Amino acid sequence: MEYRRLGKSGLKVSEIALGSWLTYGTVTEKERAIACVKQAYELGINHFDCANVYGAQPHAAEEVMQEALKPYARDSYVITTKAFWPVGDGPNDRGLSRKHIMAQVEKSLKALGVDYIDIFYFHRFDPDTDLEESLRALDDLITQGKVLYGGLSEWPADKIAAGVSLQKELQLHKFAASQPIYNMFERYIEQAVIPICEDAGIGQVVFSPLAQGVLTGKYRKGAQAPEGSRAATPGVNRFLEGRLTEDVLDKVEQLSAIATKAELSLPQLALAWVLRQPNVASALIGASRPEQVVENVKASGITLNEDILHDIEAVLA
Ligand code: NDP
């Protein structure tokens, strides 16, 4: 496993990170979830991602992560979580108010069984809270030692720029991480997000690098989704709805041929492709089985040559 610096921070994270959305604390049984996390740690993954809303109920995925990481020294891994999405029906059960952020960090610390969170993300931009209020709350958490680094997830580029400039003006701790979607089919961050973040010293931790499993080649034109896969699992299959189109599956077939030519598996090609961007610190995968972790970590350290990159662009064009 190779490690990269997260933006201009001093934090080193594994090129492959493991997340818990739609898996741990919900459809993936606990023993298997723990086996995935252990497999990841043992193969050098030091970066694990949660959110307060992941799992069947708030903080459920964090509790599974606590159990899985218990055997390992706290300072040997990076654990992250987030707040923004609703965790209840109350008016303050969502968003980025100081009140909600502080309450959720306390609950996440407890669920994760840790004294500090390595990276705490604002899960989305909150138009209903003054940006300064959220940034000051994050700064206080960092000063208190409950959070080490701040991050944002899927903020529009102009909001990232506004946050960065306000942190500078108010002399607050700077964001270290941005967590957007990024894969061969979803590449909007190449336009403005990456340039702004590079400038501000923020590193990318990119989610769904395998397009939720579509870029593994296991979904095929005219075939049923494989048993046990996300597309075949009630409760989570809705997140793939409308994504397995003929056009996408045609492209996946062509990308599989490129992977074969490069002597790689398709997931390895897809992960090496997002990691070709120097601003990307980690490709944040999900895994429902330990074997998937074993397969995916092999993408670390692979450099795709110009011919392969050109062939990929021709398919995606
Ligand atoms: P991926 O694109 O990596 O998809 C992961 C899923 O693909 C797995 O759960 C598994 O699903 C399948 N898969 C993975 N590897 C293989 C393999 N080698 N062979 C076959 N199938 C494979 O990422 P996710 O969309 O799951 O997102 C990853 C993480 O990113 C999340 O856990 C979360 O931490 C974060 N995230 C953050 C968001 C945000 O708003 N900040 C939003 C979404 C995700 P299965 O076996 O069930 O088919």
Side-chain angles (χ1 to χ4, degrees):
M1 176 59 64
E2 299 201 1
Y3 301 86
R4 292 187 182 188
R5 193 173 160 193
L6 178 66
K8 284 192 190 139
S9 79
L11 188 65
K12 309 293 189 305
V13 287
S14 46
E15 288 190 337
I16 308 296
L18 178 66
S20 48
W21 179 59
L22 303 187
T23 46
Y24 313 154
T26 171
V27 297
T28 307
E29 64 191 63
K30 191 157 116 185
E31 287 64 34
R32 197 135 49 83
I34 291 175
C36 289
V37 175
K38 283 186 185 298
Q39 183 69 83
Y41 186 91
E42 275 151 30
L43 291 173
I45 290 183
N46 76 344
H47 185 183
F48 299 92
D49 185 68
C50 288
N52 59 346
V53 287
Y54 294 170
Q57 64 280 329
H59 305 285
E62 293 173 333
E63 282 167 9
V64 174
M65 211 50 105
Q66 152 162 213
E67 209 171 321
L69 290 171
K70 208 182 294 169
Y72 308 120
R74 175 65 188 92
D75 54 1
S76 68
Y77 61 84
V78 169
I79 186 87
T80 76
T81 192
K82 323 183 183 85
F84 167 79
W85 294 110
V87 288
D89 297 329
N92 289 308
D93 288 342
R94 67 191 68 202
L96 296 181
S97 67
R98 181 178 188 86
K99 182 168 177 66
H100 185 63
I101 292 170
M102 294 302 183
Q104 285 305 300
V105 164
E106 289 307 324
K107 288 186 178 158
S108 290
L109 286 168
K110 196 159 166 242
L112 288 165
V114 295
D115 298 327
Y116 64 91
I117 293 158
D118 292 277
I119 308 172
F120 177 73
Y121 290 96
F122 294 147
H123 211 153
R124 290 294 182 269
F125 180 77
D126 180 6
D128 291 334
T129 303
D130 187 30
L131 185 53
E132 182 175 338
E133 175 176 333
S134 311
L135 296 182
R136 284 197 187 276
L138 174 64
D139 191 67
D140 287 347
L141 286 165
I142 296 175
T143 304
Q144 290 164 10
K146 291 180 180 177
V147 166
L148 301 191
Y149 300 92
L152 52 98
S153 176
E154 287 278 67
W155 280 25
D158 62 323
K159 303 299 182 199
I160 301 177
V164 164
S165 117
L166 198 54
Q167 284 172 329
K168 201 168 178 186
E169 184 190 324
L170 302 173
Q171 295 190 311
L172 304 176
H173 285 98
K174 297 185 241 169
F175 287 127
S178 156
Q179 189 179 123
I181 194 165
Y182 186 48
N183 61 55
M184 288 175 180
F185 299 129
E186 286 148 299
R187 21 191 331 191
Y188 82 90
I189 62 166
E190 291 172 1
Q191 305 307 313
V193 171
I194 288 186
I196 287 171
C197 288
E198 248 167 1
D199 231 36
I202 299 171
Q204 309 296 327
V205 176
V206 297
F207 73 76
S208 300
L210 299 172
Q212 298 194 56
V214 177
L215 282 166
T216 65
K218 68 181 174 181
Y219 302 114
R220 298 191 171 271
K221 251 192 323 186
Q224 292 269 353
E227 205 181 317
S229 66
R230 188 172 291 180
T233 305
V236 291
N237 53 1
R238 67 191 165 96
F239 291 95
L240 271 168
E241 232 167 53
R243 290 173 184 264
L244 296 166
T245 61
E246 211 161 284
D247 177 51
V248 162
L249 296 179
D250 268 342
K251 289 194 159 98
V252 168
E253 238 172 66
Q254 294 171 59
L255 292 165
S256 292
I258 297 173
T260 307
K261 185 172 138 193
E263 298 182 347
L264 297 171
S265 68
L266 182 55
Q268 289 157 11
L269 183 83
L271 293 169
W273 185 85
V274 301
L275 287 164
R276 84 199 186 291
Q277 291 275 3
N279 188 232
V280 170
S282 293
L284 174 52
I285 61 158
S288 67
R289 289 170 181 71
E291 308 85 83
Q292 295 174 349
V293 176
V294 174
E295 166 74 16
N296 298 344
V297 295
K298 291 184 193 146
S300 176
I302 289 175
T303 306
L304 301 177
N305 69 35
E306 286 306 318
D307 285 349
I308 296 291
L309 291 174
H310 181 270
D311 289 352
I312 293 171
E313 286 303 331
V315 172
L316 300 180

